[in-house]
Amino acid sequence: MSDRPVTPLLDTVHVPADMKRLSDAQLRQLADELRAETISAVSETGGHLGAGLGVVELTVALHAVFDTPKDKLVWDVSHQSYPHKILTGRRDRIRTLRQKDGLSGFTKRSESPFDPFGAAHSSTSISAALGFAVARDLGGTIESGLGDAIAVIGDGSMSAGMAFEAMNNAGHLKKRLFVILNDNEMSIAPPVGALSSYLSRLYAGEPFQEFRAAAKGAVSLLPEPFREGAKRAKDMLKGMAVGGTLFEALGFSYVGPIDGHDLDQLLPVLRTVKARATGPMLIHVLTKKGKGYGPAERADDKGHATARFDVVTGKQQKAPSNAPSYTSVFGRTLTDLAARDPRICAVTAAMPDGTGLNLMAERYPSRLFDVGIAEQHGVTFAGALAAGGMRPFCAMYSTFLQRGYDQVVHDVALQGLPVRFAIDRAGLVGADGATHAGSFDIAYLANLPGMVVMAAADEAELMHMVATAAAYDAGPIAFRYPRGEGEGVQMPDAPALLEIGKGRVLRQGKQVAILSFGTRLGETLKAAEALEARGISPTVADARFAKPLDHALILQLAANHEALITIEEGAVGGFGSHVAQFLANEGVFDSGLKFRSMVLPDTFIDHASPADMYESAGLNAPHIEAHVLEVLGAAVLGRRA
Ligand SMILES: Cc1ncc(C[n+]2csc(CCOP(=O)(O)OP(=O)(O)O)c2C)c(N)n1
């Protein structure tokens, strides 16, 4: 395409080994070309832009100095890995990022030997890098070899417990290991918490390091020294011993902070640590999210995630929406309820915008807690808020709540505490792919004693469920809803309180009943229309609750139909499994009910549009229709035999 950037040097780099012959000046040019290529590619695909732009120079420096794939470079979250993908043999497919059958938006072992460890959930990179370092030292063998282990982790991700668990272990094991702290003073939203303030203090004033250095009679450590390149970097390494940072207390040698956009600082420091390090090292690099692309630098989220956009204007191509998003319905409803109930408060783990809680943050800032990327803490914290007489809503994406699961079990459910779990991004989520799919929450919540589990079939139902959860003080309660916009239904003026454990029948038919849990209801009703045209009139019901089950409704559907089909946006072990177990124990199958349950297939489904993903999962209207025909056809055949 004619508007692609001109990239003469990048055109000669197919794998990192091709960079070894480049001078430092050429590496600087390579970085500029890599930035232009990243912007151009993401303008066509959409995706995570800001984080990648912030690590362009770091990516070039790491690949120039280290020897991947033998050296294991582990990107935390890995939403910043697009420039890495371009340099590691995937440039020809970079414009397929996040598209069906295209490159993943994250690192993925099956995609490339240059991605030694997959990621997408944060704060895993230090544990993974440490595992590689220990495997190396224990004589592990793999095809690509085992060299150095390098984790690159953002300041937001560094705030999570796992990162510190890994640092603690690494400091103890004393293995040679590199942790690059990519500090851009941003998470998705501005980072929060004491660690963030601590990091700011590390570089707030040059005097910090200079003072320490001077106190020990060492040379000045801050940017000026790098004018003299490698020699000064060595001096700095010597001077490092004077540092007294938190990281050193954990057993790491600390270098920094250094300017992560200046290859004249990055290259000598990385070369020096590579030559000299004997144990765990933390290299503190300061970068700017969105660096080098005005519209990203100026955006509130620094271009964290973008739709396709025009490179010149930065204008994003967002499809016009016809209905409010589930997320915004949740945020608005909760904020309205909070206006009347001072006990309502909310917890988010670094996703105030993603969960719609930005509205709470604006209206009731003292009742909104952004705990950072700390799902485990967030859940337990909400548990004690409930124990303390508040009405906490713990709003997390289904996939990230997984990280807080023991806390859901041990700190909330076991103690019967009324935490309201608002579970966003339930079901398949599209371009973020398998790592972000909200597939498991029905199964992992509905098996917990005392838990109430609801799924909204549309945005009006979500309103009711938020209010129902707010009013429910008897124990933990969860409601799930998908990513994206609602069904476009009429919204009620005020939410209604739902009766716990009661479903509803939407159309009364005969022969076959379809019992939906969640937003497959729309597809189910479409299938019912299509079946009507074939002379089959299904009953369609919305279960609303996976726990407690509406036993009366289920028995009645079973009694009055030849066949019963359940459908949900979740993996096996969820709603359908509970219904099957109940019917089996009631002896309903003994008298020959035809039963099917439609769930997500037992595979991790790769990224594509949500509709495509549901197509491959077999959960769209035509699949429902086919299931009905199959089950009734089987019934007819059965009668004939
Ligand atoms: C366990 C978990 N919770 C939440 C997220 C969502 N998330 C993706 S990136 C991100 C911010 C990461 O910030 P940082 O590590 O500083 O990297 P940056 O984007 O600033 O480069 C968050 C919260 C996640 N990926 N994993």
Side-chain angles (χ1 to χ4, degrees):
M1 262 165 62
S2 55
D3 55 0
R4 297 232 173 132
V6 180
T7 54
L9 255 188
L10 183 59
D11 295 346
T12 68
V13 173
H14 304 290
V15 286
D18 297 331
M19 295 164 63
K20 303 291 179 198
R21 55 185 164 71
L22 301 182
S23 67
D24 288 3
Q26 286 175 310
L27 290 174
R28 276 194 290 281
Q29 184 189 332
L30 182 71
D32 293 341
E33 294 179 14
L34 182 59
R35 176 167 283 113
E37 176 71 353
T38 304
I39 295 167
S40 168
V42 182
S43 77
E44 287 180 23
T45 62
H48 291 104
L49 178 66
L53 294 183
V55 296
V56 166
E57 287 77 14
L58 184 58
T59 306
V60 167
L62 284 166
H63 279 299
V65 171
F66 286 95
D67 183 18
T68 59
K70 179 168 180 253
D71 291 339
K72 304 301 171 210
L73 177 55
V74 185
W75 296 96
D76 206 275
V77 183
S78 73
H79 61 317
Q80 76 290 63
S81 65
Y82 305 175
H84 158 82
K85 292 196 179 204
I86 293 171
L87 292 181
T88 53
R90 285 168 276 182
R91 187 182 179 194
D92 56 341
R93 286 183 293 150
I94 200 67
R95 285 154 209 271
T96 68
L97 263 173
R98 294 160 56 91
Q99 321 294 307
K100 187 170 173 10
D101 302 322
L103 291 180
S104 164
F106 300 101
T107 53
K108 200 169 175 188
R109 278 172 57 84
S110 58
E111 196 176 284
S112 166
F114 289 93
D115 293 359
F117 210 76
H121 290 202
S122 80
S123 319
T124 60
S125 62
I126 305 176
S127 304
L130 180 61
F132 280 116
V134 171
R136 170 197 66 208
D137 292 354
L138 289 177
T141 49
I142 54 173
E143 203 178 319
S144 55
L146 282 168
D148 271 320
I150 308 122
V152 184
I153 180 166
D155 53 312
S157 300
M158 190 59 137
S159 72
M162 253 195 99
F164 282 89
E165 293 168 30
M167 296 280 290
N168 186 42
N169 191 205
H172 169 69
L173 291 175
K174 299 190 174 58
K175 300 284 177 195
R176 174 175 154 117
L177 167 78
F178 301 100
V179 174
I180 315 271
L181 173 58
N182 170 34
D183 185 358
N184 57 19
E185 292 185 88
M186 271 300 276
S187 181
I188 293 181
V192 288
L195 179 73
S196 163
S197 330
Y198 171 74
L199 293 178
S200 305
R201 281 204 302 280
L202 284 186
Y203 57 80
E206 294 176 350
F208 177 80
Q209 280 281 19
E210 290 198 325
F211 169 79
R212 290 183 162 282
K216 299 275 177 182
V219 289
S220 171
L221 299 181
L222 273 164
E224 286 78 8
F226 289 93
R227 283 196 219 116
E228 289 173 59
K231 178 187 166 296
R232 287 297 205 172
K234 279 182 201 157
D235 288 348
M236 192 180 76
L237 266 189
K238 276 188 245 143
M240 249 166 29
V242 306
T245 66
L246 170 66
F247 306 109
E248 286 177 308
L250 285 166
F252 276 67
S253 301
Y254 172 88
V255 184
I258 60 175
D259 179 346
H261 297 300
D262 185 354
L263 282 167
D264 291 341
Q265 296 189 30
L266 285 172
L267 290 167
V269 168
L270 291 179
R271 285 174 185 141
T272 308
V273 296
K274 182 169 188 257
R276 297 272 187 102
T278 52
M281 301 231 30
L282 185 127
I283 301 146
H284 187 179
V285 175
L286 304 186
T287 61
K288 232 176 146 174
K289 198 162 177 171
K291 172 77 175 179
Y293 185 57
E297 286 192 22
R298 286 190 295 274
D300 283 348
D301 70 349
K302 306 292 171 208
H304 179 82
T306 100
R308 291 176 189 156
F309 60 90
D310 180 276
V311 175
V312 177
T313 62
K315 194 169 168 2
Q316 296 185 40
Q317 299 168 14
K318 288 202 172 131
S321 57
N322 305 313
S325 69
Y326 284 95
T327 300
S328 67
V329 169
F330 164 67
R332 270 203 307 274
T333 310
L334 184 68
T335 309
D336 288 350
L337 292 168
R340 292 191 292 278
D341 183 348
R343 294 204 285 158
I344 288 179
C345 55
V347 175
T348 170
M351 319 281 288
D353 294 358
T355 54
L357 288 177
N358 41 354
L359 213 62
M360 269 294 278
E362 277 163 30
R363 296 258 297 273
Y364 306 107
S366 64
R367 286 190 274 153
L368 186 267
F369 301 92
D370 180 351
V371 297
I373 308 181
E375 288 81 6
Q376 300 173 312
H377 158 67
V379 171
T380 303
F381 172 58
L385 283 169
M390 297 299 290
R391 289 179 158 160
F393 278 74
C394 182
M396 292 179 187
Y397 292 6
S398 168
T399 193
F400 299 139
L401 183 59
Q402 287 165 198
R403 186 160 286 181
Y405 187 54
D406 180 57
Q407 287 71 12
V408 174
V409 178
H410 173 268
D411 297 328
V412 175
L414 198 61
Q415 308 193 89
L417 291 169
V419 173
R420 288 82 174 157
F421 292 99
I423 303 180
D424 201 329
R425 305 313 195 262
L428 302 175
V429 295
D432 280 333
T435 56
H436 281 54
S439 309
F440 309 113
D441 60 278
I442 310 172
Y444 73 60
L445 293 174
N447 62 358
L448 297 178
M451 179 70 77
V452 174
V453 182
M454 303 183 273
D458 58 44
E459 60 274 34
E461 283 287 296
L462 176 58
M463 262 182 90
H464 303 322
M465 288 181 181
V466 179
T468 304
Y472 184 79
D473 291 320
I477 186 165
F479 51 98
R480 73 189 314 252
Y481 45 98
R483 171 178 180 268
E485 64 186 49
E487 314 292 311
V489 299
Q490 178 81 35
M491 293 301 270
D493 292 336
L497 296 188
L498 303 177
E499 187 180 343
I500 300 294
K502 282 284 165 240
R504 57 180 179 145
V505 175
L506 286 114
R507 59 178 277 163
Q508 191 65 61
K510 49 185 193 304
Q511 274 186 295
V512 60
I514 309 171
L515 179 58
S516 165
F517 180 64
T519 53
R520 287 294 99 185
L521 183 66
E523 292 296 305
T524 304
L525 289 168
K526 265 193 238 166
E529 289 298 318
L531 287 161
E532 194 75 54
R534 293 175 181 267
I536 298 167
S537 174
T539 294
V540 175
D542 170 15
R544 279 183 172 150
F545 293 81
K547 185 167 197 157
L549 285 177
D550 188 341
H551 290 158
L553 173 65
I554 294 166
L555 288 175
Q556 178 211 320
L557 294 175
N560 298 334
H561 298 83
E562 282 176 46
L564 173 62
I565 299 175
T566 65
I567 182 162
E568 71 205 273
E569 290 140 325
V572 64
F575 172 67
S577 303
H578 282 264
V579 174
Q581 179 97 5
F582 168 67
L583 289 171
N585 289 341
E586 288 290 311
V588 175
F589 295 131
D590 308 0
S591 47
L593 174 74
K594 310 281 178 192
F595 179 82
R596 302 286 186 276
S597 59
M598 298 180 72
V599 297
L600 291 173
D602 192 21
T603 53
F604 290 105
I605 301 177
D606 278 338
H607 54 281
S609 70
D612 278 343
M613 291 176 87
Y614 278 115
E615 187 61 28
S616 57
L619 290 178
N620 285 337
H623 304 107
I624 302 170
E625 188 185 343
H627 249 70
V628 169
L629 293 175
E630 178 270 324
V631 74
L632 291 184
V636 170
L637 282 181
R639 267 203 299 273
R640 242 187 254 139

